[in-house]
Amino acid sequence: MDQNATSLSLALEKHELSCVPSAHYCQRNGLSPSSSPSCRADATSESSPPGNWQASRRSSNFSFTSDRDVFDEDSPQDLTYDAAQRLFEQLSSKDESIRQIGLRNLTRSIFVWVKTDFPHEGTEQSPRQRIGSTNERRTDIKTPISRQASSESAPAIVSPVSPKDDAPARIVQQALASLLRLSIRCPFHDVRVQSEEILKELKDGNVDMPTPIRVDVSRFIPTDQIHPVDTDDEQAHSLYSESFVQNCRLEHMVMVMGLHPQYLQQFLETNDHLLRSSGALPYEYRSYIAIMAAARHQCTYLVHLMEVQFLLQGGDREWLRGLDHVPAKLRALSELNKLLAHRPWLVTAQHFKNLTEGEPSTRWQHSHLVQVVVLLCHFHSIAIFCHGAGVNLELDHPRAHAFHTTTSTSPRSNTSSGAATPKVDAKSGRKSPASPIAEIGDVEVLMERMRKLQEEEEDVTTEERSRRFEIEKEEASHGLLPGVSGPVGGAAYFARYVQEPDFSYQDFAKRDAHAEIPTYRAQDYSWDHAFTVMSSYYNGVAELLDEKYQTAYNLTYKTLATRDNVDTTSLRRAIWMYVHCMYGIMYDDYNYSEVNQLLERPLKLYIKTVSCFPEQTTRAVYDGFWKQFRHSEKVHVNIMLLEARMQVGLLYGLRALTQCVRES
């Protein structure tokens, strides 16, 4: 054993430990103990002042300058969630030298934490018996997560950020799960490789290790259709890296959006601005509002991400117990959250008056409420996207991995949808089917209809446009219902973050009190009006949202299935208008007959399910439309649904807020 490894072994023996990194691992990774450990596991380093360590995370620019331990030999048991999280933050730096410091700190700490918390073989409980043991051990680990298993709609059995989960055993479990995620989903090669080596060393030391239940990014999209973490596509890899630096992880939803890099770039910039830029709302408030929004659509994936983000922003873990444990000011947003998520046409000026009046401790300012409306609508729409694209849980979510005591079968991977192996389109770089299209007639019919609409512009009166809108609105409320109508599993978990969890979408055509809630005419309060309000109260966000909308609406590769040089403007417009129509928004200058001409019934079913009942989106609904099209084209549809649905919420919400301001 070389000198460095010997020194490390002696240091660890002070804690009566026997599981240490091997000599090979130490030599390869330059691992050596600090000469004078000076920081406790729950202490704050010099680069992260007490009470403000999360500031370094928000800046995405770390300033670690020394190679030191984060524990001290007198108190290795002082393991906290925050201490573990700080270690992983160092790995999300763009600077490789800082990442190497982080990896060395993480390696030393992981080996100490594992053996400090878990006794040796032959004692009362072994590492294999302790990690993932007792009531926390899963009994269904052999069954891969599927839609039927509620991978998206069911909660974590033991949430990694639950307030009750601060026992050292659970924190170490979560740290190991985070290493598993990094070994598979990190865009930085050094972090990915060394995370895998740490896991291997621990496994060789007889520690029970997590294994992924399913490694797919999406339940709907084959793995080989999505850019891998080590993709050769420079633009995609650059965006992956940027996302990792921002969020300490490469999120599955980002990898799906990566099929359209131009849009992903706009999304990342906007999302980062909403969560981390200067603004009226405290950072932990923003993340908690995001949790509330995601919970309304029962999106386990997004709730988990935002719970983690909430803690990264220094949030009080007690708040994660539910609305009963948060400030009354936040709890008061529940009604607005409920209506914007499901029936935004019910939002009135009175709802905002209720929020701006009352006790000073619970009173909201108008500028703050603009930010609240934007955040709620933003995360409602992201939840819609995650459901619509079948985004799988992150690998460190408790339902996405299992601690096995015996050798198990390989995790499931959806590498094929039953078709021939795909190949990359040389022109666009996107994947396309290897075999000829079986239903080529459908593509030809759609192209012919789009051509006629472009060449033969119909002269339609305003009255006729209004009549066609009513026909389309009525048609959307009949016969287009998701295949699942019952409650979604795991609703009890989400109930902690919402009020009236059973409240859901109601067809606008069947709404109560027709006379009091007329059709929303876009010219009366347009996107330009909403843009002006946001510009006045929420600096910078209006431009970002407008650019993101424009990117999604105008995004085109001039292709349709296997056809090139196709103008898809009318098709994209029909999808956008159909979403707005289902929520009662009418445009006087649009001919709604285009919707029926261009959107086939399975596509309408998908649009309505994702836009109105997102938690009920199934693989059958996704596979049912555009069977002859690329998955990237279906993701493009999903992006348009995200943006169109977000605009619906903003129009209704900001219109009511504007009226409230005028009346105050």
Side-chain angles (χ1 to χ4, degrees):
M1 181 178 292
D2 60 31
Q3 182 176 358
N4 286 339
T6 302
S7 300
L8 177 59
S9 180
L10 292 173
L12 294 178
E13 284 175 0
K14 294 180 181 180
H15 301 291
E16 298 181 347
L17 306 177
S18 59
C19 179
V20 298
S22 67
H24 170 73
Y25 184 86
C26 292
Q27 184 178 26
R28 176 168 178 172
N29 296 292
L31 189 62
S32 62
S34 173
S35 58
S36 57
S38 58
C39 299
R40 295 168 60 91
D42 58 348
T44 307
S45 68
E46 295 175 4
S47 59
S48 301
N52 192 37
W53 66 266
Q54 67 273 16
S56 63
R57 168 88 296 273
R58 288 196 294 269
S59 69
S60 301
N61 183 19
F62 301 99
S63 57
F64 299 99
T65 57
S66 62
D67 183 5
R68 58 177 179 267
D69 294 315
V70 295
F71 58 87
D72 107 9
E73 62 184 71
D74 296 325
S75 55
Q77 74 280 7
D78 289 330
L79 168 62
T80 67
Y81 180 87
D82 288 349
Q85 190 61 55
R86 287 197 297 273
L87 284 169
F88 284 97
E89 286 174 21
Q90 299 176 60
L91 308 186
S92 61
S93 171
K94 290 183 178 180
D95 188 330
E96 184 176 356
S97 63
I98 292 176
R99 296 200 302 270
Q100 289 302 313
I101 292 174
L103 284 165
R104 288 193 288 272
N105 284 338
L106 177 63
T107 301
R108 285 195 294 270
S109 300
I110 285 288
F111 278 96
V112 168
W113 287 343
V114 167
K115 278 301 185 177
T116 299
D117 190 58
F118 307 118
H120 302 286
E121 294 283 358
T123 60
E124 182 179 356
Q125 284 186 313
S126 68
R128 285 191 177 275
Q129 293 170 326
R130 277 292 302 278
I131 299 183
S133 66
T134 67
N135 294 332
E136 295 171 356
R137 184 173 293 281
R138 303 252 322 274
T139 59
D140 59 342
I141 56 177
K142 294 182 180 179
T143 303
I145 288 179
S146 63
R147 178 65 194 171
Q148 289 71 24
S150 300
S151 67
E152 178 56 38
S153 59
I157 293 177
V158 181
S159 171
V161 293
S162 172
K164 68 182 180 181
D165 254 355
D166 54 2
R170 291 296 293 122
I171 296 174
V172 173
Q173 272 191 308
Q174 186 57 30
L176 295 177
S178 296
L179 275 174
L180 173 67
R181 170 176 57 81
L182 290 173
S183 70
I184 299 174
R185 291 283 188 264
C186 182
F188 298 134
H189 180 264
D190 57 332
V191 174
R192 196 166 62 248
V193 170
Q194 292 188 47
S195 296
E196 185 176 1
E197 290 187 358
I198 294 173
L199 290 173
K200 183 179 183 301
E201 288 290 328
L202 289 170
K203 183 177 180 181
D204 291 344
N206 211 26
V207 173
D208 192 13
M209 303 304 298
T211 56
I213 294 174
R214 188 166 188 168
V215 296
D216 299 323
V217 170
S218 166
R219 299 184 302 283
F220 303 161
I221 305 170
T223 299
D224 55 9
Q225 297 289 310
I226 297 174
H227 290 296
V229 294
D230 58 349
T231 178
D232 293 332
D233 186 304
E234 292 184 4
Q235 184 181 19
H237 191 269
S238 175
L239 291 170
Y240 279 4
S241 300
E242 185 63 33
S243 178
F244 187 83
V245 168
Q246 287 180 5
N247 304 299
C248 293
R249 67 174 64 233
L250 174 57
E251 299 157 336
H252 288 176
M253 68 177 182
V254 168
M255 296 183 72
V256 174
M257 288 182 186
L259 289 171
H260 301 282
Q262 185 180 353
Y263 174 80
L264 177 57
Q265 184 171 5
Q266 294 287 341
F267 174 85
L268 291 176
E269 184 178 357
T270 303
N271 190 65
D272 186 63
H273 182 89
L274 293 179
L275 289 174
R276 302 182 184 90
S277 70
S278 59
L281 292 183
Y283 296 109
E284 64 270 21
Y285 269 47
R286 304 182 200 188
S287 297
Y288 200 86
I289 290 170
I291 293 171
M292 294 171 63
R296 278 271 31 138
H297 287 307
Q298 302 188 24
C299 186
T300 303
Y301 174 83
L302 190 56
V303 168
H304 170 245
L305 282 184
M306 299 319 300
E307 284 176 335
V308 173
Q309 181 65 36
F310 172 76
L311 294 180
L312 280 174
Q313 300 291 13
D316 184 349
R317 300 182 71 215
E318 191 70 16
W319 292 13
L320 298 182
R321 292 185 182 275
L323 294 178
D324 292 338
H325 302 269
V326 304
K329 188 173 183 177
L330 273 176
R331 190 162 57 250
L333 298 176
S334 295
E335 180 73 7
L336 182 62
N337 181 29
K338 177 187 74 175
L339 297 181
L340 286 175
H342 305 294
R343 304 178 200 174
W345 57 83
L346 295 178
V347 179
T348 65
Q350 187 60 47
H351 289 104
F352 289 104
K353 288 181 181 179
N354 295 339
L355 292 170
T356 56
E357 299 172 352
E359 296 295 326
S361 61
T362 62
R363 190 182 305 159
W364 287 89
Q365 298 179 22
H366 292 136
S367 59
H368 296 188
L369 288 173
V370 171
Q371 193 172 358
V372 166
V373 169
V374 172
L375 283 167
L376 287 174
C377 293
H378 178 67
F379 285 98
H380 289 155
S381 64
I382 294 178
I384 284 172
F385 177 87
C386 293
H387 282 301
V391 176
N392 272 329
L393 296 172
E394 299 286 313
L395 296 176
D396 57 348
H397 189 283
R399 290 190 67 89
H401 63 268
F403 285 84
H404 293 276
T405 56
T406 59
T407 303
S408 63
T409 57
S410 299
R412 286 183 61 180
S413 177
N414 177 29
T415 58
S416 174
S417 58
T421 303
K423 60 183 180 181
V424 177
D425 188 313
K427 294 183 178 180
S428 66
R430 295 179 298 150
K431 309 252 178 105
S432 60
S435 57
I437 297 299
E439 302 177 42
I440 197 67
D442 293 341
V443 179
E444 296 291 353
V445 169
L446 180 57
M447 290 179 60
E448 180 62 19
R449 288 177 178 176
M450 288 192 296
R451 186 188 63 78
K452 286 184 177 181
L453 287 173
Q454 294 163 4
E455 295 179 355
E456 304 171 8
E457 185 174 350
E458 187 178 6
D459 186 13
V460 183
T461 64
T462 301
E463 292 75 15
E464 177 61 18
R465 292 181 192 275
S466 180
R467 188 186 71 83
R468 292 180 179 181
F469 171 82
E470 293 298 327
I471 292 174
E472 194 58 49
K473 184 177 64 178
E474 289 290 336
E475 191 271 345
S477 68
H478 294 93
L480 288 174
L481 298 175
V484 180
S485 57
V488 180
Y493 176 80
F494 302 109
R496 73 177 69 181
Y497 294 127
V498 301
Q499 294 178 355
E500 295 186 62
D502 295 332
F503 188 88
S504 63
Y505 173 82
Q506 178 190 55
D507 286 305
F508 186 79
K510 299 178 180 179
R511 68 197 183 282
D512 299 328
H514 281 59
E516 290 80 6
I517 308 174
T519 295
Y520 184 123
R521 295 189 176 275
Q523 71 272 18
D524 295 336
Y525 192 90
S526 66
W527 174 244
D528 289 339
H529 292 96
F531 184 93
T532 301
V533 171
M534 288 187 291
S535 297
S536 301
Y537 289 101
Y538 194 1
N539 184 39
V541 75
E543 291 80 4
L544 286 171
L545 291 179
D546 188 64
E547 290 173 5
K548 187 160 67 81
Y549 284 143
Q550 294 299 329
T551 299
Y553 191 88
N554 297 316
L555 185 64
T556 180
Y557 302 94
K558 298 292 184 180
T559 61
L560 194 68
T562 58
R563 296 291 184 265
D564 296 326
N565 300 316
V566 180
D567 185 352
T568 60
T569 302
S570 58
L571 178 60
R572 287 180 275 119
R573 183 172 58 226
I575 293 171
W576 192 281
M577 292 299 181
Y578 188 58
V579 174
H580 282 219
C581 176
M582 289 188 294
Y583 282 89
I585 299 178
M586 175 185 171
Y587 294 81
D588 286 342
D589 59 349
Y590 181 67
N591 181 2
Y592 284 89
S593 66
E594 291 187 8
V595 172
N596 272 334
Q597 293 183 58
L598 299 179
L599 306 186
E600 60 179 0
R601 189 174 182 82
L603 175 55
K604 283 186 174 182
L605 174 61
Y606 177 78
I607 293 173
K608 181 168 185 179
T609 303
V610 174
S611 302
C612 306
F613 306 95
E615 64 276 5
Q616 296 180 12
T617 307
T618 63
R619 176 67 180 267
V621 174
Y622 176 87
D623 287 343
F625 82 98
W626 283 4
K627 296 181 180 180
Q628 65 273 41
F629 286 68
R630 300 178 179 94
H631 286 281
S632 61
E633 291 172 306
K634 291 190 173 188
V635 172
H636 187 183
V637 170
N638 209 9
I639 287 173
M640 293 198 66
L641 301 186
L642 179 162
E643 296 296 340
R645 181 59 186 85
M646 181 176 180
Q647 195 174 75
V648 165
L650 288 176
L651 288 174
Y652 275 112
L654 295 177
R655 183 183 67 165
L657 180 55
T658 300
Q659 184 180 352
C660 173
V661 172
R662 289 172 178 171
E663 296 175 358
S664 61

